[in-house]
């Protein structure tokens, strides 16, 4: 039980680590014994730790890879296991939905950007010259929309990287993707109202592997997820003067965090456990003997 508790608490450990801790605990409890008896007891404890780890591995409570011992979990009955599997299934389904939503938004962004490039190229060819510099809007950008009567106070940092706006009335924020969608650059896929001609165009703007997803989006769903976010809330993010008094008294124009579609502009922890050549020698030797 002590070995089991040690491995469970640590999650990942080694034979030597568990054995050393248990030897230290038992030695501290029996401080009156002679040195010769202590050496014998320590060897006996380490052997018992080895036996306990083998039992736990046989019961699939722990796993061992090279010198690393990992906790798997105590056995459960069928009802508990079924319940745990159902919880895990729901968690994974939710994750799949999130990934599908992210994929949908990334596809829309690619189609919109490529459509915009083609449109600008055609405009340059027709005009036979590049557009004037003062007529170009660079990506990414944010549009802030409000009433003509709204009083706006704008503060600019010294390095001109931060712009703080204070509004005394309701205002809306739109990012570049929202604007491109309103311009029809997403071929109507964001609202599920894509014509056959637009669908053909959209399919030509994505890699072949993504074409089936574009077709599903044109039909109003992708992987069973209805496309309603863009179609039902196309006015952007709306903030009122009361929001400003509650802490939203400034927006950085260099960031698109306030916009509805900025979140999709899309981490995996990596751990390394070093292996000491001298660790777990006794455990490995005992395994070879057995």
């Amino acid at each position: 039980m002590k070995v089991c508790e040690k491995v469970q608490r640590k999650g990942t450990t080694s034979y030597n680590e568990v054995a050393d801790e248990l030897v230290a605990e038992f030695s501290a409890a029996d401080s009156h014994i002679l040195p010769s008896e202590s050496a014998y007891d320590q060897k006996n404890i380490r052997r018992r730790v080895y036996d306990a780890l083998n039992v736990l591995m046989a019961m699939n409570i722990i796993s061992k890879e090279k010198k690393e011992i990992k906790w798997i979990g105590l056995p459960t009955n069928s009802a508990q296991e079924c319940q745990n599997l159902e919880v895990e299934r729901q968690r994974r389904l939710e994750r799949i939905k999130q990934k599908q939503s992210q994929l949908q938004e990334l596809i829309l962004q690619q189609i919109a950007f490529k459509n915009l490039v083609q449109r600008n190229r055609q405009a340059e060819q027709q005009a036979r010259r590049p557009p004037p510099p003062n007529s170009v809007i660079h990506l990414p950008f944010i549009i802030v929309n409000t009433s003509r009567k709204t009083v706006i106070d704008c503060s600019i940092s010294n390095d001109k990287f931060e712009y703080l706006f204070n509004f005394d009335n309701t205002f809306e924020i739109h990012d570049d993707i929202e604007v491109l969608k309103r311009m029809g650059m997403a071929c109507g896929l964001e609202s599920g109202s894509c014509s056959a001609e637009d669908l053909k165009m959209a399919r030509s703007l994505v890699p072949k592997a993504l074409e089936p997803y574009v077709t599903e989006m044109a039909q109003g769903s992708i992987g069973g997820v209805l496309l309603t976010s863009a179609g039902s809330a196309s006015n952007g993010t709306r903030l009122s003067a009361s929001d400003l008094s509650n802490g939203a008294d400034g927006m950085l124009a260099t960031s698109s965090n306030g916009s509805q579609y900025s979140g999709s502009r899309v981490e995996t922890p990596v751990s390394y456990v070093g292996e000491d050549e001298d660790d777990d020698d006794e455990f490995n030797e005992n395994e070879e003997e057995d």
Side-chain angles (χ1 to χ4, degrees):
M1 288 180 62
K2 286 184 175 293
V3 171
C4 185
E5 290 171 359
K6 289 276 184 189
V7 180
Q8 182 179 12
R9 186 169 62 253
K10 292 177 179 295
T12 301
T13 184
S14 65
Y15 161 75
N16 273 351
E17 186 177 14
V18 175
D20 290 345
E21 289 188 11
L22 288 175
V23 165
E25 291 176 8
F26 281 106
S27 298
D30 298 331
S31 57
H32 63 280
I33 62 176
L34 299 174
S36 58
E37 294 177 349
S38 176
Y40 173 79
D41 285 345
Q42 289 183 18
K43 187 174 182 180
N44 190 40
I45 291 171
R46 301 183 78 87
R47 179 65 189 181
R48 299 286 73 76
V49 170
Y50 164 76
D51 292 339
L53 289 173
N54 274 336
V55 171
L56 295 176
M57 279 193 291
M59 297 177 66
N60 200 33
I61 296 175
I62 65 172
S63 65
K64 181 176 181 295
E65 185 176 352
K66 294 184 179 179
K67 299 176 182 179
E68 188 177 74
I69 297 172
K70 291 185 178 181
W71 175 260
I72 297 176
L74 293 171
T76 58
N77 57 42
S78 299
Q80 286 179 318
E81 188 173 357
C82 181
Q83 184 178 4
N84 293 339
L85 289 174
E86 183 61 28
V87 171
E88 177 66 15
R89 176 178 176 273
Q90 292 300 325
R91 187 185 67 81
R92 296 196 178 192
L93 286 175
E94 184 62 30
R95 181 170 174 80
I96 289 173
K97 288 182 180 179
Q98 293 176 357
K99 293 294 184 182
Q100 288 174 336
S101 179
Q102 292 175 359
L103 175 61
Q104 164 199 326
E105 187 61 29
L106 289 173
I107 290 175
L108 290 176
Q109 288 180 16
Q110 178 167 1
I111 291 174
F113 285 140
K114 287 195 171 183
N115 229 342
L116 179 65
V117 171
Q118 290 186 3
R119 171 181 173 273
N120 290 346
R121 185 178 292 121
Q122 292 174 359
E124 288 186 20
Q125 291 175 351
Q126 292 176 359
R128 296 184 179 180
R129 63 177 179 82
N134 60 354
S135 67
V136 176
I137 300 177
H138 296 279
L139 295 170
F141 63 82
I142 290 177
I143 292 179
V144 181
N145 178 34
T146 186
S147 169
R148 293 178 180 272
K149 299 179 180 179
T150 301
V151 177
I152 305 173
D153 177 38
C154 178
S155 302
I156 306 175
S157 63
N158 292 332
D159 57 9
K160 296 186 178 181
F161 276 99
E162 294 183 354
Y163 297 75
L164 182 65
F165 295 92
N166 289 319
F167 300 79
D168 70 345
N169 200 355
T170 300
F171 63 97
E172 297 174 350
I173 300 177
H174 309 277
D175 67 0
D176 46 11
I177 299 301
E178 166 66 9
V179 174
L180 291 178
K181 288 176 180 177
R182 292 195 180 197
M183 293 171 60
M185 296 291 105
C187 301
L189 290 171
E190 75 281 2
S191 58
S193 57
C194 182
S195 65
E197 184 178 352
D198 287 337
L199 174 58
K200 184 178 179 180
M201 167 68 73
R203 287 171 61 93
S204 67
L205 298 176
V206 299
K208 198 165 187 64
L210 296 178
E211 290 183 5
Y213 292 97
V214 175
T215 302
E216 289 187 41
M217 291 167 66
Q219 296 170 352
S221 66
I222 176 171
V225 180
L226 294 178
L227 307 184
T228 57
S229 59
S232 61
S234 60
N235 289 331
T237 301
R238 180 182 292 271
L239 299 176
S240 63
S242 61
D243 297 323
L244 304 183
S245 62
N246 291 329
D249 56 352
M251 300 294 295
L252 292 179
T254 54
S255 170
S256 59
N257 291 338
S259 179
Q260 180 182 353
Y261 298 101
S262 61
S264 61
R265 296 197 174 197
V266 173
E267 212 160 16
T268 305
V270 178
S271 60
Y272 172 77
V273 180
E275 294 184 359
D276 188 349
E277 293 297 330
D278 296 331
D279 284 351
D280 298 341
D281 287 341
E282 184 175 348
F283 192 29
N284 293 329
E285 289 174 4
N286 289 335
E287 281 188 324
E288 292 175 0
E289 292 173 3
D290 290 350

